Amino acid sequence: MKAMNEKKVARWQSLMDRVENDLLQVQAALADITEKRNNLSEEAAKLNRMKVDYLDDLQRSAVEPQLKTKTVFIKDFIQHLEETLVSIAREIEQVDKIRADIKSRYAAVLGQFNKYKALNSRANISFKKEQRSRENKEQDMRNVLRYSQKSP
């Protein structure tokens, strides 16, 4: 019985360790994808600020006839900024989908880890109970032997 409970504890610990490694990998992937999402959002915000600035320049340039060529360049650049913003928005959508997948994987792995942790804890408690019971029986046996040796 002792060996069986020890094996149970070792088995649950082994499974828990394996799932813990998976959990750490999923956490790292989640951190990476979150960082990528934040970087893309910051980039989009920066490009939006640039677009607003260039739109202001365009309005100022449109008023002055001698700046017509500058106006054409500004319009082209604003068009490029808009295309880039659309591209970043698409990439953010893809990252959000990947992030959702990783979050669901994290939830599944965390659930598995918690299950193995609980099973390991139960097996450990059972093993310790059995060990205490065995020690108490041994102590009782020693006490009975001592008592029987004292009695004539």
Side-chain angles (χ1 to χ4, degrees):
M1 187 75 167
K2 177 184 174 188
M4 188 173 81
N5 277 338
E6 281 184 63
K7 285 181 184 178
K8 278 184 183 178
V9 171
R11 180 179 19 171
W12 293 128
Q13 185 64 47
S14 169
L15 289 169
M16 195 172 76
D17 291 344
R18 192 176 325 144
V19 171
E20 186 176 25
N21 288 337
D22 290 347
L23 189 63
L24 292 173
Q25 289 174 356
V26 172
Q27 281 177 329
L30 187 59
D32 289 345
I33 202 74
T34 300
E35 182 180 356
K36 184 175 182 175
R37 170 73 163 83
N38 292 340
N39 290 342
L40 286 169
S41 294
E42 289 171 9
E43 186 69 23
K46 185 173 83 173
L47 291 175
N48 273 321
R49 285 190 302 274
M50 285 176 64
K51 182 180 167 185
V52 168
D53 291 343
Y54 277 97
L55 284 172
D56 290 344
D57 282 351
L58 181 63
Q59 286 177 343
R60 276 182 266 148
S61 299
V63 176
E64 301 176 30
Q66 68 270 22
L67 299 176
K68 288 286 184 191
T69 43
K70 184 178 178 183
T71 304
V72 171
F73 288 121
I74 292 174
K75 283 181 182 178
D76 288 344
F77 188 69
I78 290 172
Q79 177 70 30
H80 177 70
L81 282 174
E82 287 174 353
E83 290 168 2
T84 304
L85 285 168
V86 167
S87 174
I88 288 175
R90 270 191 249 119
E91 194 170 347
I92 286 174
E93 283 179 28
Q94 290 173 346
V95 166
D96 285 344
K97 287 178 186 175
I98 293 169
R99 189 171 173 219
D101 290 344
I102 291 173
K103 277 186 173 183
S104 69
R105 171 86 173 118
Y106 177 77
V109 172
L110 183 62
Q112 205 173 24
F113 175 77
N114 287 335
K115 178 178 78 173
Y116 290 148
K117 187 176 178 181
L119 290 168
N120 183 42
S121 177
R122 276 191 230 150
N124 231 339
I125 290 168
S126 175
F127 175 70
K128 287 178 182 177
K129 239 186 222 182
E130 180 189 313
Q131 197 173 19
R132 275 193 308 267
S133 175
R134 191 174 38 260
E135 288 171 358
N136 287 341
K137 282 183 183 178
E138 288 173 4
Q139 183 64 37
D140 288 347
M141 294 288 263
R142 282 193 294 270
N143 288 342
V144 166
L145 279 174
R146 231 179 302 139
Y147 179 73
S148 66
Q149 287 175 350
K150 286 184 182 178
S151 317

